[in-house]
Amino acid sequence: LENLAEAAPKEDLPDLPIDASATRELSIQAFADQPRVQYYVDFFTNRMHERFQVWLTRMPRYEGYARERLVAQGLPGDLVYLALIESGFSSSAVSRAAAVGIWQFMPATGRQYGLDQNFWVDSRRDVIAATDRALDYLQKLFGDFGDWQLALAAYNWGEGSVARALKANRAKG
């Protein structure tokens, strides 16, 4: 995953348009032709092809449970791909920022959602517990922001960061 952080496009790509209307569905097809999306499709099919194949090999172990839980909570099933990109479905994944597990919970967020972290156990690595808590967190973020693109940005970048960016944009407009 370290390579992904270095994969930022060299040229400045245009921002993705975001439909601010609240929806419980992901509008993946609407973004398929965007230059930024095409850049990452190329990245994962070329430079990261072998690593991505490992991720896809791990995916069947977890996808069924995660997708079933997503649908049961009324969330888009395609949110399962968040775990694919966050961790490559590796429960031992650790980010530079100390996010852990397939859903890459930060320590404070993990504790906030009841995932124990101590000398003996780190529940952020427990695929079932972390999946259930990640879905609770995603549901909360969608409730806060009313839009899946913003909820996913908040999951990755932090709720406060997205809220501040929205506030700054409102002040400009």
Side-chain angles (χ1 to χ4, degrees), residues 37-65:
V37 172
Q38 290 302 311
Y39 174 85
Y40 285 105
V41 167
D42 181 62
F43 176 73
F44 284 113
T45 56
N46 291 305
R47 285 185 17 208
M48 287 284 289
H49 179 75
E50 287 182 34
R51 170 110 18 115
F52 198 62
Q53 290 304 307
V54 170
W55 297 0
L56 291 174
T57 301
R58 283 189 207 124
M59 190 172 174
R61 290 183 225 163
Y62 309 112
E63 180 183 15
Y65 178 76

Side-chain angles (χ1 to χ4, degrees), residues 104-166:
Q104 290 291 282
F105 270 101
M106 294 293 288
T109 308
R111 281 189 295 276
Q112 180 182 351
Y113 281 84
L115 297 173
D116 295 330
Q117 301 158 60
N118 59 48
F119 182 78
W120 295 277
V121 68
D122 188 339
S123 296
R124 297 174 298 165
R125 295 180 191 278
D126 178 329
V127 173
I128 292 172
T131 296
D132 291 345
R133 298 301 69 82
L135 305 190
D136 293 342
Y137 186 37
L138 286 164
Q139 187 129 16
K140 180 230 185 267
L141 292 172
F142 181 81
D144 290 350
F145 295 103
D147 176 90
W148 280 116
Q149 286 79 24
L150 293 174
L152 291 169
Y155 189 95
N156 186 266
W157 193 32
E159 300 167 57
S161 297
V162 171
R164 284 187 297 278
L166 287 171

